[in-house]
Amino acid sequence: MNRLFPYPHISVVMPVHNASATLSATVRSILSQSERDFELLLIDDGSTDQSLAIMLRLAAVDDRIRVIAHANCGVAATRNKGVELSHGQLIAFCDADDLWHPEKLKLHRALHRADHNCAASYARIAFIEPEARNALDARTTSTIVNTPLKVTDLLGENPVCTMSNLVVRRAAFERVGGFRAGMSFAEDQEWLARAAFLGLAIRGIDEVLVSYRLSHDGLSVNLERMYAGWRDLATDYADPSGVQAAEAIYCRYLARRALRSGASAATALHYAVRGLRLDARAFLTDAKRGWATLISALVAPFIPRAARIRVFA
């Protein structure tokens, strides 16, 4: 391909750790992009399953794929390594169990071309079951904020939601710095809060461009770790005068996630009650998210788990 810039315009960075069950489908969704000017870096983070073998087979049939392997060091350090080895002017991130809509990279590139002040971009997300094949099987979708994201947006329900949703200008990534090594459950939120704190514009695209696989196994433990990571994050970025309101909204987010993903009813109720106790007004500010979450958490104990997974979103 002839271009003034000698490298692909977009670098897609994917950390991989024991993802053999979903890796091929995720990579296929990236290789099927209508935007063709990209490289895909698959970075194996010390997998003990067949992930590395799958990555090498995929790379053998598409020269846009580069495979890097290193000892396990965590998702933050693995993403940083991918960025370090990448070449694109735009950097897109994808986790090894999510799926992309075919127009994702095209629409993100168009936004960044049209708005040179846009440092990073995200879109809407479809939440799908682990076995789903595409966004058509989604039970619910996320929303975007119509203005550039503020720290308060990111400390609340974080509309970006997953790194599979984020595209960043290289210059912006270099200004913000890499992901905080050692963080596993809030490293993405911490990076976004750091970018917003610096005044960089993070803008949304009002299209569903990512399908996010819900995980029902071990979710309660993950939510606890997410909460612990959030509290560390709030220490650095939350306005002390509004930290209880921000925490209440984040508890609402965790309650909704518990309901959506099939965690125990007690887990959903725990986060809903904690959010109300912290700041009932903040928890109930958004009627759809506030009252609907509270009512759902209250009735969840009386509904079988399988039915909750189908009903709650």
Side-chain angles (χ1 to χ4, degrees), residues 59-77:
V61 297
D62 196 306
D63 61 8
R64 291 173 294 177
I65 299 176
R66 298 164 57 197
V67 177
I68 301 98
H70 62 198
N72 180 256
C73 60
V75 67

Side-chain angles (χ1 to χ4, degrees), residues 245-267:
E247 189 171 355
I249 293 172
Y250 191 70
C251 284
R252 184 180 71 191
Y253 164 75
L254 293 177
R256 287 169 58 78
R257 186 154 181 167
L259 290 165
R260 180 187 295 134
S261 301
S264 71
T267 297

Side-chain angles (χ1 to χ4, degrees), residues 124-295:
R124 293 171 57 209
I125 297 170
F127 295 94
I128 61 175
E129 289 296 310
E131 67 280 359
R133 295 177 180 271
N134 53 54
L136 297 177
D137 299 320
R139 297 203 339 269
T140 187
T141 60
S142 69
T143 59
I144 65 165
V145 177
N146 292 323
T147 56
L149 295 180
K150 303 182 293 295
V151 172
T152 50
D153 297 320
L154 294 160
L155 291 178
E157 297 208 13
N158 182 14
V160 179
C161 183
T162 171
M163 285 303 297
S164 297
N165 197 18
L166 190 68
V167 176
V168 185
R169 288 189 191 274
R170 178 173 296 278
F173 188 89
E174 291 172 351
R175 180 180 173 190
V176 176
F179 298 96
R180 187 179 291 178
M183 295 187 75
S184 298
F185 285 89
E187 81 291 338
D188 53 344
Q189 207 170 2
E190 191 279 332
W191 190 93
L192 288 162
R194 208 184 327 149
F197 184 77
L198 290 172
L200 300 184
I202 306 169
R203 298 188 180 278
I205 299 172
D206 196 11
E207 299 280 351
V208 175
L209 299 180
V210 177
S211 293
Y212 177 89
R213 292 188 191 277
L214 298 167
S215 173
H216 305 314
D217 296 330
L219 182 72
S220 296
V221 175
N222 288 352
L223 292 177
E224 290 173 9
R225 292 176 180 173
M226 289 169 62
Y227 193 17
W230 183 91
R231 298 189 75 168
D232 289 340
L233 178 63
T235 301
D236 293 335
Y237 295 104
D239 180 347
S241 65
V243 68
Q244 284 200 195
E247 189 171 355
I249 293 172
Y250 191 70
C251 284
R252 184 180 71 191
Y253 164 75
L254 293 177
R256 287 169 58 78
R257 186 154 181 167
L259 290 165
R260 180 187 295 134
S261 301
S264 71
T267 297
L269 186 58
H270 165 74
Y271 287 115
V273 170
R274 179 163 182 80
L276 283 172
R277 287 176 174 171
L278 284 164
D279 191 323
R281 177 176 294 181
F283 187 96
L284 298 171
T285 297
D286 183 309
K288 180 179 178 181
R289 288 182 170 86
W291 285 104
T293 301
L294 176 59
I295 293 169

